């Protein structure tokens, strides 16, 4: 019982010590002594238990009879300080409780309000707007699809400002507006009262491939009374299948082809509609191994687009395309053709695809590797210097592991340089009427048998023609041979190789000095006098060779003792730099064999050091241009111009000294 009583005394003391109404007075300090004092667990002589590791402390002796004022001035023990801090913080927890209670009340209130708004008797919800699209499950491509949208209002209030929004698939066209392409259509509807249903019909022409699914999206926008916002409701997308395409297409070609040979593609487009199809665009996509050579009929745009103004019902159109194949053995390539309607703003860009087809071919290892070298160049397209002979070498190599017999090389020559007197056949037999040069075992004995890995070299020469404009020639070398020595006939075709040679143009630039015989009036002494000025008229001439040249520019410079008088007349434009004293004549484009001129006036002021000799009045002239036919850069240069006038103009000899 004494323990319980002691605890009661301690609790009573704590209550009085930490009473909120207590006012602290002056604390009486007690002198600490090193002697041990037994402190009981109560307030009279009880020693408190020591915590493990705690330092010993001295507690002042307090008797129950001590006055209350003295007890209130006692400093709390360390343990009692911890209790005091805890006691002072505990009352603050009610604030957190109040805050959590307020937040919970707000959430509950907001939830009740939301439930009331969305599920109450005055509910306005998009769920009460019903959209139904009635459309055919399938329609033939190019035919008009008749459809209808039903809008039902199950709200308790009227919806107004209703706009029906219809999104069409790509390539859809309007049946009423001359085939105008449809993307999105917005239809204004009248106000819809509670319980009312509004039906809106619409139609469109759908295009696509057979069995292709087309998606039509429908939505509605509306307003409600008392709100400035617009609400939105969409329907499930409606799918319409294209049961048949108005056109069908097919590609036919050889399944295998050797690298270097030409491959012919046949593109067939046939009408599958009882009505004519206007503006049918055919677009071909070639693989990297296919290099376009020719097409019949010719393409309308680039080398892969054809436009048919009107494809008659049931009619068939064929396009033949030839291309040269280049690639690795066993490489598989694919050609793709798309047929459809062009975009309204660009007739050569596909708008909607009506049909498409693909075809593939495999590049096989040829029996021979054929190389055509023209003046040592094996690139296939060679640019030759003007008036130079073309030495053509054709190298055959048997790349198979078998022997070829009776090998024959047929070289078909074409171009404006191929004439009977221009081709030196060498060992071959040349037929000038057909432009065919043939090398066979009858002329070349080494062609009777070509073993695996062996090569044969055959050559001929093509002479130039300086008077021929845009001079060129083409070579197509076809190799034939037999795998069986006893095989009859000429053998099978085992490889085709092509090459082309173009002759570059040779432009010329020159200058002429005149005095008072051109577009300007010249003054001064002839011959010139030191210290006295004499004016001259200079005429520059630029002439193209056998090919047109583009971007022609002539540059030259004046000496320090010659002045530019800023007077010029002629073709093109001229610029003068007074710092560098450079004259730049932009000649421009010049046709083959055409000559352009520029005249301008200069002033010579000779010095005494020039007495007894002629003076240079203009430096060397340099012409630079581009050959339109070959694409190569052209250049020509003429020597400097002195002040000696031509005697053909009536001037005496040595008139420039």
């Amino acid at each position: 019982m004494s323990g319980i009583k002691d605890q009661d005394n301690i609790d009573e003391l704590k209550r009085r010590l930490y009473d909120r109404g207590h006012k602290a007075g002056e604390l009486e300090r007690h002198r600490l002594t090193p002697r041990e004092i037994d402190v009981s667990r109560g307030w009279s002589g009880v020693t408190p238990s020591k915590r493990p590791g705690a330092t010993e402390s001295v507690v002042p002796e307090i008797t129950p009879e001590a006055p209350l004022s003295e007890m209130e001035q006692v400093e709390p023990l360390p343990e009692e300080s911890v209790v005091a801090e805890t006691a002072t913080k505990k009352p603050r927890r009610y604030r957190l409780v109040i805050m959590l209670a307020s937040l919970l009340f707000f959430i509950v209130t907001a939830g009740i309000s939301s439930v009331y708004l969305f599920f109450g008797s005055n509910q306005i919800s998009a769920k009460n707007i019903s959209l139904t699209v009635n459309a055919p499950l399938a329609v033939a491509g190019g035919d008009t699809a008749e459809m209808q949208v039903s809008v039902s209002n199950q709200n308790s209030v009227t919806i107004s400002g209703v706009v029906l929004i219809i999104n069409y698939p790509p390539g859809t066209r309007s049946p009423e507006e001359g085939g105008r392409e449809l993307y999105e259509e917005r239809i204004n509807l009248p106000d819809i009262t509670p319980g009312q249903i509004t039906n809106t019909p619409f139609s469109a022409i759908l295009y696509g491939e057979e069995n292709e699914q087309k998606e039509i999206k429908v939505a509605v926008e509306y307003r409600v009374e008392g709100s400035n916002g617009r609400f939105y409701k969409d329907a499930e997308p409606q799918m319409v299948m294209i049961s048949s395409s108005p056109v069908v297409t097919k590609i036919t070609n050889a399944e295998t082809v050797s690298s270097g040979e030409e491959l012919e593609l046949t593109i067939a487009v046939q009408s599958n509609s009882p009505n004519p199809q206007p503006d049918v665009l055919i677009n071909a996509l070639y693989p990297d191994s296919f290099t376009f050579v020719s097409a019949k009929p010719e393409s309308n745009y680039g080398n892969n687009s054809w436009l048919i103004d009107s494809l008659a019902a049931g009619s068939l159109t064929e396009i033949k395309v030839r291309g040269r194949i280049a690639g690795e053995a066993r490489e598989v390539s694919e050609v793709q053709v798309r047929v459809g309607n062009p975009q309204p703003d660009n007739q050569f860009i596909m708008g909607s695809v009506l049909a498409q087809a693909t075809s593939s071919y495999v590049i096989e290892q040829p029996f021979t590797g054929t190389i055509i070298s023209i003046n040592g160049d094996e690139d296939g397209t060679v640019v030759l210097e003007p008036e130079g002979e073309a030495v053509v070498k054709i190298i055959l190599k048997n790349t198979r592991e078998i022997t070829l017999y009776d090998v024959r090389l047929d070289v078909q020559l074409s171009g404006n340089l191929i004439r009977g007197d221009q081709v030196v056949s060498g060992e071959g037999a040349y037929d000038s009427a057909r432009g065919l040069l043939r090398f066979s075992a009858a002329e070349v004995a080494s062609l009777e048998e070509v073993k695996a890995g062996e090569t044969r070299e055959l050559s001929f020469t093509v002479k130039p023609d300086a008077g021929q404009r845009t001079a060129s020639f083409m070579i197509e070398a076809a190799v034939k041979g037999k795998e069986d020595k006893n095989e009859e006939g000429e053998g099978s075709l085992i490889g085709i190789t092509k090459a082309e040679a173009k002759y570059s143009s040779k432009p010329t630039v020159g200058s002429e000095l005149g005095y008072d015989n051109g577009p300007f009036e010249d003054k001064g002494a002839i011959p010139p006098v030191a210290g006295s000025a004499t004016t001259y008229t200079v005429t520059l001439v630029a002439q193209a060779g056998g090919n047109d040249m583009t971007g022609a520019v002539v540059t030259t410079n004046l000496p320090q003792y010659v002045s530019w008088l800023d007077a010029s007349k002629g073709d093109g434009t001229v610029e003068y730099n007074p710092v560098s004293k450079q004259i730049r004549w932009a000649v421009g484009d010049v046709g083959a064999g055409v000559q352009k001129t520029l005249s301008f006036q200069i002033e010579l002021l000779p010095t005494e050091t020039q007495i007894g000799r002629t003076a240079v009045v203009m430096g060397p002239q340099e012409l630079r241009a581009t050959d339109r036919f070959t694409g190569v850069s052209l250049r020509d240069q003429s020597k400097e111009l002195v002040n000696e006038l031509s005697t053909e103009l009536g001037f005496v000899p040595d008139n420039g000294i």
Side-chain angles (χ1 to χ4, degrees), residues 560-612:
Q560 292 298 323
Y561 49 82
V562 176
S563 301
W564 169 263
L565 297 184
D566 198 20
S568 62
K569 185 176 182 181
D571 301 310
T573 59
V574 62
E575 296 177 359
Y576 176 70
N577 187 330
V579 177
S580 62
K581 298 184 75 74
Q582 183 190 65
I583 300 172
R584 185 181 185 276
W585 176 29
V587 185
D589 298 346
V590 185
V594 175
Q595 184 182 87
K596 290 192 175 183
T597 62
L598 172 71
S599 296
F600 55 89
Q601 196 174 36
I602 60 174
E603 181 183 78
L604 170 65
L605 183 60
T607 64
E608 294 182 356
T609 59
Q610 294 172 306
I611 294 176

Side-chain angles (χ1 to χ4, degrees), residues 635-657:
R635 181 181 177 183
D636 188 46
Q637 191 172 23
S638 64
K639 61 182 182 179
E640 59 189 15
L641 184 66
V642 298
N643 67 327
E644 182 74 21
L645 297 169
S646 174
T647 57
E648 295 179 359
L649 299 177
F651 295 97
V652 299
D654 298 331
N655 59 79
I657 296 177

